[in-house]
Amino acid sequence: MAVKHTHAEYDRLSPLWKRCRDAVAGQQAIHEAGKAYLPVLKGEEDEDYKARLCRSDFFNATYRTTSALTGMAFAKPPVVKLPSAIETWREDIDLAGVNLDALAEQVVEEVLEVGRVGLLVDHPPAAATPISQAAAEAQGLRPSIQLYPAESIRNWKHGRVGNRVVLTMVVLGETEMVAKDEFESKAEDRYRVLDLDGAGHYRQRLFKVEDGKDVQIGADIYPLMSGKPLTLIPFLIVGRSGKGDKPDEPPLIDLVDANIAHYQVNADYRHGLHFTGLPTLFLAGVVQEVNAAPFYIGGQAAITSQHPDAKGMFIEYTGQGLNAVKDALASLERRMAILGARMIADESKQAETLGATRIKRAGENSVLARIVITASEAIEAALGIMAMWAGAGGEIVYQINRDFAPAMLGAQELTALVAAWQNGALSEAELFEVLQRGDVIDAAKPFEEHQAEAEAQVVVPKPAPAANDQVAA
């Protein structure tokens, strides 16, 4: 089987990914796709189709929704804790200048758009002679995290190793710019194969296809960790539900399809306006002589006739046909708004009654929350592999915000919370957390700082009323 072979799930989902990518990209991509999204009318000439396509505008609800959802996830900075040995890599996590938080945003955006993205923790071959860690980092000889979009994850296999089902093979599509001459380059498809060999060791190979045959570029690569080959493939497939063996459909595919339907109905509306909204001049009783000058409308031009019964009038469309199209547009716009809102709606069946619990769990059962949790876990795992490569110990935490719609607490809720704390139902730390989530206390302020500030406050007693202000009994 050729290296360029694609997985059956890849083939099934590729058309969906294409629709999602085009919808997010906006009007230019939709127009360039032409008949894929705007079918030709029966009997429509090519020039007429081009004119109708040009008049059809695309309202990009998909991009706006994706951008808004990503913004909600990163409205508050992620909680990050890294060993000091890899903390300095945070500002250049991929050796191309992308910082860790920007990479996390890309991961969330990719999963929102198409439901799938890959993270490869890679390490260049070690230097031939031992060098210091500082010198190695200066030469880029350190681990990094590389992002692969869904379209690049062409084939994969999972198998049981020991008591776990793990990734045993993945083929990644890449593009290499190859020089044709001094001034011109061409893009060449490459295929990076990551697998576990017969001994269970992680191996990398690079291929290209020439004359229909697979040609390996260079020798097999066995990345080493502490001088030993790895026994796992350091590639993490991130999906909306966290599973890498079976891809999920794009979480926004229903919104994308509604957005494209809106584009098609809007094209009909704009097409109808073009032919019915413009007034048409009608002349009755006018006999135009042969070789006479044509009639002109507008400006200071005038049409005259010596025929006594000649009449002139404008014919305008007064029917109600376009109103039904307008109603269809409004209905699709409402549907798109609902589909976008469902991404942050709580999908659990159990209703929360206590205000503190509601705020604490707000959004945790939504589609966006599952994506954020999955992305956080994948990034933590990738950072853990980087730390092992660096021989660094210590806790690793990377948690993206899940408080998507924090609501200010009302007076009654605040009173109930304080009463719960006073009665011992909530600890001071729990009360502090709830007040942070309710946007009453600065989310960036740690609990210890809040305690120190509270203890340092001096309560000034109110002055006693003056003697002349007292009312005699």
Side-chain angles (χ1 to χ4, degrees):
M1 189 174 292
V3 71
K4 64 186 298 184
H5 174 78
T6 52
H7 196 283
E9 287 295 294
Y10 183 97
D11 297 335
R12 180 180 72 88
L13 291 171
S14 287
L16 278 65
W17 297 340
K18 178 69 165 59
R19 289 210 305 274
C20 294
R21 296 293 193 194
D22 288 344
V24 171
Q27 181 163 299
Q28 182 173 346
I30 294 293
H31 278 186
E32 287 176 354
K35 300 170 186 177
Y37 301 125
L38 189 64
V40 178
L41 299 176
K42 187 175 181 179
E44 188 175 35
E45 298 292 338
D46 188 56
E47 289 300 317
D48 294 332
Y49 175 80
K50 289 180 180 178
R52 183 164 65 93
L53 181 68
C54 185
R55 287 192 300 268
S56 305
D57 61 320
F58 179 73
F59 173 69
N60 201 340
T62 304
Y63 170 77
R64 296 183 183 192
T65 302
T66 303
S67 179
L69 293 173
T70 305
M72 288 180 185
F74 291 89
K76 297 178 182 178
V79 177
V80 185
K81 185 181 294 185
L82 301 175
S84 58
I86 68 171
E87 174 66 36
T88 56
W89 301 345
R90 182 174 172 181
E91 294 305 313
D92 185 11
I93 201 68
D94 66 345
L95 290 175
V98 175
N99 67 52
L100 180 58
D101 291 347
L103 179 78
E105 285 195 46
Q106 291 178 34
V107 170
V108 172
E109 285 176 354
E110 287 291 316
V111 179
L112 279 170
E113 285 187 23
V114 296
R116 189 171 173 83
V117 69
L119 295 175
L120 171 63
V121 185
D122 202 13
H123 196 303
T129 57
I131 57 176
S132 67
Q133 182 176 347
E137 291 189 18
Q139 298 177 30
L141 300 178
R142 67 162 176 86
S144 63
I145 302 177
Q146 306 297 325
L147 185 145
Y148 284 82
E151 295 87 345
S152 295
I153 310 172
R154 300 175 57 85
N155 198 3
W156 58 90
K157 290 181 182 177
H158 286 76
R160 184 172 293 278
V161 176
N163 294 321
R164 295 189 306 152
V165 175
V166 298
L167 185 69
T168 58
M169 186 274 289
V170 62
V171 180
L172 304 173
E174 299 178 354
T175 302
E176 181 75 17
M177 297 305 297
V178 180
K180 295 176 64 177
D181 53 39
E182 183 181 358
F183 305 103
E184 188 178 358
S185 299
K186 67 174 182 178
E188 186 173 273
D189 291 334
R190 301 285 175 89
Y191 303 92
R192 188 174 300 276
V193 179
L194 318 178
D195 65 356
L196 298 178
D197 69 3
H201 295 155
Y202 169 50
R203 171 180 61 177
Q204 274 199 32
R205 290 173 292 165
L206 190 62
F207 291 86
K208 63 179 179 179
V209 178
E210 287 184 353
D211 300 325
K213 297 181 179 179
D214 299 341
V215 178
Q216 184 169 348
I217 302 171
D220 294 1
I221 300 173
Y222 284 88
L224 302 178
M225 184 181 289
S226 300
K228 299 179 181 179
L230 281 71
T231 56
L232 58 84
I233 299 175
F235 188 79
L236 304 160
I237 300 177
V238 189
R240 59 183 287 184
S241 61
K243 296 178 180 179
D245 54 342
K246 182 176 176 57
D248 302 303
E249 290 194 353
L252 291 175
I253 188 62
D254 291 338
L255 172 61
V256 168
D257 289 340
N259 206 169
I260 292 172
H262 182 275
Y263 166 67
Q264 293 169 343
V265 175
N266 186 53
D268 292 340
Y269 181 67
R270 298 290 295 271
H271 185 60
L273 285 179
H274 178 72
F275 284 100
T276 61
L278 298 176
T280 300
L281 177 65
F282 175 73
L283 299 175
V286 176
V287 180
Q288 192 172 12
E289 298 179 2
V290 179
N291 299 325
F295 293 136
Y296 292 96
I297 303 174
Q300 299 179 1
I303 300 173
T304 61
S305 174
Q306 297 181 0
H307 197 285
D309 296 326
K311 297 179 182 178
M313 66 185 72
F314 280 101
I315 302 175
E316 296 187 72
Y317 176 75
T318 59
Q320 300 299 314
L322 289 180
N323 288 337
V325 182
K326 288 176 65 176
D327 292 342
L329 285 173
S331 175
L332 283 167
E333 288 164 8
R334 288 193 296 271
R335 185 192 304 176
M336 287 190 290
I338 292 171
L339 290 170
R342 283 180 179 174
M343 292 293 293
I344 57 172
D346 189 339
E347 294 188 340
S348 65
K349 296 181 179 179
Q350 183 177 0
E352 300 284 358
T353 56
L354 182 63
T357 307
R358 187 187 70 243
I359 293 172
K360 184 174 181 179
R361 300 185 181 276
E364 289 187 358
N365 297 309
S366 68
V367 175
L368 178 59
R370 291 202 300 271
I371 291 173
V372 162
I373 292 169
T374 298
S376 299
E377 292 174 348
I379 293 171
E380 279 187 358
L383 291 169
I385 297 172
M386 290 183 73
M388 287 191 293
W389 236 316
E395 185 181 9
I396 293 178
V397 175
Y398 195 88
Q399 295 181 359
I400 304 170
N401 162 59
R402 299 199 298 272
D403 295 332
F404 305 131
M408 290 294 292
L409 293 172
Q412 290 184 342
E413 290 175 315
L414 283 171
T415 302
L417 287 169
V418 173
W421 168 62
Q422 291 172 337
N423 294 328
L426 287 175
S427 69
E428 187 175 356
E430 288 173 327
L431 175 63
F432 175 78
E433 181 184 358
V434 172
L435 293 178
Q436 275 190 322
R437 292 176 181 270
D439 273 2
V440 177
I441 294 177
D442 183 4
K445 181 183 295 184
F447 176 61
E448 293 75 12
E449 180 183 342
H450 169 75
Q451 278 187 314
E453 290 179 356
E455 292 171 359
Q457 282 184 334
V458 178
V459 179
V460 179
K462 293 182 180 180
N468 55 0
D469 290 336
Q470 295 180 356
V471 180

